[in-house]
Every structure is written in structure tokens, then in C-alpha cells.
Amino acid sequence: MLFTSLKFVLFIVVLFVLYYTVAKHDQWPLLLVASLVFYYMQDYRFLLFIVITAVTAYILAIATENFAARRKAYLKEHKSEMDDTKKKKYKNTTKRVQALYLAIALLINLGILATTKYTNFIIENINALRSEPLSFANLIVPMGISFYTFQTVSYSIDVSRGTVKAQRNFWKFLLFVSFFPQLVQGPISRYGDLSQTLYEEHKFNYKEVSLGYIRILWGYFKKLVIADRLVVALKVLVSDSEMYQGGFVFIVMMLYAAQLYCDFTGGIDITIGIAQILGIKMAENFNLPYFSKNIKDYWNRWHITMGSWFTDYIFYPLSVSPTILKLSKWSRQHLGNAIGKRIPVYVACFCVWLTTGIWHGAAWHFVVWGLMNFAVIMISQELEPLYAKFHAKFGLKEKAGYKVFEIVRTFFLMSSLKLFDCYRDAGLTFKMFATMFYKPGFGSLGSSELLNLGLTSSDYIVAGIAIVIVFLVSLYKALKGRELREFLFEKYPLFLVACTVLVIVIAVFGAYGVGFDASQFIYNQF
């Protein structure tokens, strides 16, 4: 059931009516039923995977918390009998048991993810080394498995750390794992955040429902009017790498930057908007990423919940792990303090971007994409002293023109890296990128060439105007520090006009009909 389908719209309308009709204490059970129905309608086999994930995390989290409580009680009861040595020995022993519970939870849930998503990728690479190829496994990849697995893993780790309490009601926990809006493409919610409003009783709030409604419309506008229109031309451009080189690769960069942004943020707008009309607060996943001044800033603004997940559960634990600290100490002694102090950051950052690439997909171009991000970030970090000297000498840092330059530079850099996602082959991506410089051919790009990409002149006009509107709305937020929809709600007649116009524009200019496909969101594949 696509987010962009009429069936899904009717699903939301029926759910919304029932949600504010049933008794307040029945709201979260209704959401659970709706989530399981939604997932069942994608493929009934998916339910088995998500239930196994929920059951294992639920049981082991409670076991972990119970064990921690018994350990605390034992230490309190035998406080007078234990000296520091005995106490330390007891704590170390019990920590290993607690770590075992966590390891089992992670092994099962990450094992399911790895098996379903990466088995055939491993077989493919083994076959490259064998004369007699192995047969590929006939496995299904459940929708959203990367998202709900990461949510479950963060929950297990947080319970083990003692930062959240284990949920004792299995059905409530299953709702956290399966809450349907986030299954398609996130955000990756943390239990400590989402649980604050997920299980509460919600009264109809006109303002929240209105703001959620216009956010849903805004998401559909970006998805149907822009993203699903531009994807038609993108498919043509990347389908023939021999014909569409040079200047066409630049067009791919620009089209994909707009298409991916509108597809991904549009889906997130729909997700968070649906949650908001139900009174549920979800984490924001984007904060004007195309206004970023460097790549590090970009990744603090793009897919925020994914970035914070990798930071909290891979980067920080790895950078302070005993092994890395020993390596850092050895490096300081043998290679100098300057290198030694960088080792924890370099190793942890490398692992983060390696796993980020693998998380995005079972293919080498995703791995290369991740490592290219790592390389650019590390090079930029190493050059920071030179940047500081440059700015001290020329004083450009605070000038408006230089800030615009930084934004444009970062946009083109990140758009270049996104080519790996377009061509889906690392070697081909490097080749196509190079053609922009040794045989650009920008002069040959005219209206006739652009009209051979499956879009009409009207399509380009509609997409162009829509992109300008998206830019202006983003610019308003950048300048005012708040979203335009909040201002419109304060001027309620304008709010009603905006909602009406969005509905009409989506209905009239949405990418429907011959040549177009109201397709699933890009990040659904992850």
C-alpha cells in the first residue's frame, strides 16, 4: 500500500475518524492494529520478521533490567561484607552476564537484517572468485527492516545502559517497533522519545491536526509534483551511459539532488504529519540540508536520526573502547602525539561511514559512497588549520557572499557523491563524473535534447516553479527560524487558502498518467 495511493489516503481517513471516536484508552491498541494491518497489506510474510524482532528484544530487555535490579539489591544487601576488591570482581562478573543478554539480542536482530539483506551480496562476491557459482538464496527483504531493526537495537542498548526503562507491556512495545508511518523510510525513532506521546491519550487538538494536515499536503506536493515527475527523465539519463555523458551528467546531478530531496523529505513530511494529526511527536529528520556550509554540517542536517544513531551507538562507544585507546597510546609513543590523538577519531569515523554505506544497500557502490564521505570529512578536518589562517588573513568568513559560496560548494560536492546512487556502479560513476571535465559538451545541450528525456516543456515548467516554491519555503525557515505553516496558521484565512491551493495543485499537477508512476519512496529500499 503506497503512501501515494488512494487506498492509503482512505486508510488514514478511516484511522483518523476511529482514533478520535474510540475511548481514549483504546487509541494505542487501535494504532497497533492499524500498524499490523498496514504491514500485512504489504506482504503477510513481513509480519513474521517484525514480530520475531519485537519478541526477542522485549524478552531480553526485561531479562537485562531484572538482572540489573538483582545485582543492585545484592550489592546493597551485602555492602558491609564486601571490600572494594570483592565488589569490583562481582561487578565485572555481572557486567559480563548483562553484556551477554545484550549480545544475544543484537545477534538475533542484526542477524535477521544481515541474512535477509546481505546474503545474496555475499554469494555474489564469492561467485566472483569461484569457477562454479553458488546459487542465490530465495529470500524476501521485509519493508523497512533497516529502520525498525535499528530502532530495536537502540532500545536494547539503552535498556542495557540503564538510560530507559524496559517496556513491560509487549503490545505497547510491538507498537513502538511497528508504528506504521515510520516503516517506509523512518525516521529512526528512539524509545525514550517516541514513547512519550505514543501511548498517551490524545484529545482532538485543532491546531496540531491543522499543522499536521498541511504538512501531509506539503509532503505530497514535493513527492508527486516534483520527485515523481523528475524521476522519468533521470531513468532515461542513467539508462544509457554512452549517450548521456558530459553535460548530461551535470543534469543528472541537479535533477537527482532535487528528486531525492523532494522524495525523501516529502515522505518524512507525510510520516511526521500523520503522527502529528494523531497527537504523536516524532523526531525531525531534516533541517535545511541544502543550506549547509560544509559536509559535516550537511550530515548534521540530512537524515538526522540516522546520523545521530551511528554517532551514539557506533562512533562514541568505539572511540573510547579499550582496544582503540590502546592503539591510540601505542601510536602516541611510536608515531607521535599528533597522530596518536587522531587514531580514535579516524578509526571510529571510518567504521561509521563503512557501516553507513553498507546500511544503505548491499552493493559496492554504497560502500564506496560511504568511504568517499569519510575521506572528504577527514580531509576537510585536517585542513581546518589552513582554513583558519585563510579566514584570519582575508576576513571572508562572515561576509554574505562567502557564505553563499560555502553553501553552493557543499551542494555541488554532495550532489557529486550522490552520483553513486544514480549509476549504481562505482567504476561507472567515476567515469561519468570525469566526462563532465574532459568532454563536457554543455554547448550541445538544448531544448530538443531535454525534451527527449520523457518530459514535456510543461513538465519542466511545472517542476521548475514547484522547486522555486520549495526553495522559498525553505528560505523562509532559514531566515525566520520557524516553519511557514506556523505563520500561515496564525493568519488562518491564508492557511485555508494554502491548503486549498495545495490540494488543487497536487490533484492537477501530480505526476499521474502515461509515462509517470506514483512510485514507492526511494528510502523504502533501505
Side-chain angles (χ1 to χ4, degrees):
M1 183 162 51
L2 300 177
F3 267 25
T4 51
S5 67
L6 180 59
K7 185 186 295 185
F8 180 77
V9 174
L10 294 174
F11 176 82
I12 295 300
V13 170
V14 172
L15 173 63
F16 177 78
V17 172
L18 291 176
Y19 189 76
Y20 288 108
T21 303
V22 300
K24 296 293 184 289
H25 62 268
D26 290 331
Q27 287 178 326
W28 74 260
L30 175 65
L31 287 181
L32 175 59
V33 172
S35 298
L36 296 179
V37 168
F38 174 81
Y39 213 50
Y40 177 86
M41 293 179 71
Q42 311 307 311
D43 190 322
Y44 69 92
R45 296 172 297 176
F46 293 171
L47 284 174
L48 175 63
F49 292 91
I50 202 167
V51 169
I52 291 175
T53 295
V55 168
T56 54
Y58 171 79
I59 293 173
L60 289 164
I62 291 178
T64 298
E65 191 170 81
N66 289 344
F67 183 81
R70 290 196 301 270
R71 179 182 62 188
K72 185 177 180 180
Y74 180 88
L75 287 171
K76 183 178 181 180
E77 182 180 349
H78 298 83
K79 183 178 180 180
S80 59
E81 306 169 15
M82 303 177 73
D83 57 24
D84 291 342
T85 303
K86 288 183 178 179
K87 190 180 295 184
K88 183 178 180 180
K89 183 178 180 181
Y90 176 78
K91 285 183 176 180
N92 289 337
T93 301
T94 52
K95 280 183 179 179
R96 285 195 290 269
V97 176
Q98 189 170 330
L100 179 61
Y101 286 135
L102 176 61
I104 294 172
L106 299 186
L107 183 64
I108 293 174
N109 292 323
L110 291 175
I112 293 173
L113 173 63
T115 300
T116 56
K117 194 170 178 180
Y118 301 104
T119 296
N120 284 332
F121 176 61
I122 294 172
I123 293 174
E124 179 183 350
N125 284 278
I126 291 175
N127 286 344
L129 304 174
R130 289 170 56 93
S131 57
E132 297 182 10
L134 300 173
S135 300
F136 287 104
N138 186 22
L139 298 171
I140 61 171
V141 181
M143 182 187 70
I145 186 171
S146 294
F147 292 102
Y148 72 69
T149 298
F150 270 33
Q151 284 193 185
T152 308
V153 165
S154 68
Y155 167 80
S156 299
I157 295 174
D158 288 346
V159 170
S160 182
R161 290 174 176 175
T163 55
V164 300
K165 292 289 186 182
Q167 173 57 253
R168 300 281 165 160
N169 185 319
F170 171 73
W171 303 112
K172 285 186 174 181
F173 180 68
L174 182 59
L175 173 58
F176 163 71
V177 177
S178 64
F179 185 46
F180 75 92
Q182 65 191 2
L183 285 176
V184 174
Q185 56 179 0
I188 303 173
S189 301
R190 306 288 182 90
Y191 178 78
D193 297 328
L194 185 58
S195 62
Q196 296 297 315
T197 54
L198 185 60
Y199 311 125
E200 288 183 348
E201 297 179 358
H202 298 285
K203 295 181 179 179
F204 183 90
N205 184 308
Y206 191 76
K207 179 179 180 180
E208 292 300 311
V209 170
S210 298
L211 291 175
Y213 173 66
I214 197 171
R215 184 157 187 176
I216 293 170
L217 292 178
W218 184 238
Y220 278 120
F221 171 79
K222 289 193 284 189
K223 169 65 174 171
L224 293 174
V225 179
I226 301 175
D228 282 359
R229 175 170 270 102
L230 297 183
V231 75
V232 174
L234 277 166
K235 287 180 178 178
V236 174
L237 286 167
V238 301
S239 65
D240 193 338
S241 58
E242 292 300 321
M243 176 179 292
Y244 298 112
Q245 298 184 356
F248 285 109
V249 179
F250 180 79
I251 293 176
V252 170
M253 284 174 53
M254 297 300 97
L255 290 181
Y256 190 63
Q259 193 260 340
L260 176 63
Y261 176 81
C262 291
D263 186 283
F264 198 4
T265 63
I268 293 296
D269 285 332
I270 295 170
T271 293
I272 296 178
I274 290 171
Q276 189 170 10
I277 67 174
L278 301 175
I280 298 165
K281 183 174 178 56
M282 299 189 73
E284 292 292 341
N285 217 26
F286 290 90
N287 181 24
L288 305 175
Y290 286 161
F291 286 77
S292 305
K293 296 178 182 177
N294 54 63
I295 190 171
K296 185 177 180 180
D297 184 32
Y298 175 88
W299 282 112
N300 287 330
R301 295 166 174 263
W302 178 282
H303 209 341
I304 298 169
T305 57
M306 181 199 72
S308 64
W309 194 99
F310 279 105
T311 299
D312 293 343
Y313 300 108
I314 295 182
F315 181 83
Y316 287 136
L318 190 58
S319 61
V320 298
S321 65
T323 302
I324 298 301
L325 293 179
K326 287 180 182 179
L327 177 61
S328 177
K329 182 179 179 180
W330 182 91
S331 300
R332 288 171 186 264
Q333 293 173 347
H334 295 83
L335 303 174
N337 188 62
I339 295 178
K341 69 180 182 181
R342 288 172 167 80
I343 291 296
V345 175
Y346 284 179
V347 174
C349 193
F350 175 85
C351 292
V352 162
W353 283 107
L354 177 64
T355 52
T356 300
I358 294 172
W359 178 85
H360 273 80
W364 282 111
H365 68 270
F366 284 121
V367 175
V368 175
W369 168 84
L371 296 181
M372 288 293 292
N373 275 276
F374 163 75
V376 173
I377 290 174
M378 288 298 98
I379 292 171
S380 178
Q381 185 169 309
E382 287 301 316
L383 292 177
E384 281 184 0
L386 291 178
Y387 297 153
K389 290 180 181 179
F390 173 83
H391 293 305
K393 183 175 181 179
F394 295 101
L396 298 176
K397 189 70 175 176
E398 298 305 319
K399 293 186 181 297
Y402 188 77
K403 290 180 180 179
V404 172
F405 163 74
E406 288 181 306
I407 291 171
V408 172
R409 176 196 62 191
T410 304
F411 172 80
F412 280 110
L413 177 59
M414 296 311 301
S415 297
S416 298
L417 292 178
K418 287 185 177 76
L419 287 175
F420 287 102
D421 197 24
C422 295
Y423 293 106
R424 308 243 159 186
D425 180 281
L428 178 60
T429 301
F430 284 117
K431 174 187 173 183
M432 298 302 289
F433 179 79
T435 63
M436 286 193 293
F437 301 95
Y438 72 82
K439 55 175 181 179
F442 287 98
S444 64
L445 294 179
S447 58
S448 59
E449 285 77 17
L450 295 178
L451 291 175
N452 287 330
L453 302 179
L455 298 180
T456 65
S457 56
S458 298
D459 288 320
Y460 285 111
I461 293 172
V462 169
I465 293 174
I467 289 171
V468 169
I469 292 172
V470 171
F471 171 76
L472 292 176
V473 171
S474 300
L475 185 62
Y476 177 89
K477 181 180 179 181
L479 296 176
K480 299 294 185 179
R482 66 170 184 166
E483 295 185 2
L484 180 61
R485 62 191 177 119
E486 295 172 350
F487 168 77
L488 292 174
F489 186 81
E490 294 171 1
K491 313 293 183 182
Y492 201 69
L494 288 178
F495 183 86
L496 294 178
V497 170
C499 289
T500 303
V501 169
L502 280 174
V503 170
I504 293 173
V505 169
I506 292 166
V508 175
F509 297 105
Y512 315 106
V514 179
F516 296 100
D517 173 29
S519 58
Q520 188 57 279
F521 291 89
I522 292 174
Y523 263 71
N524 180 51
Q525 65 184 298
F526 307 133

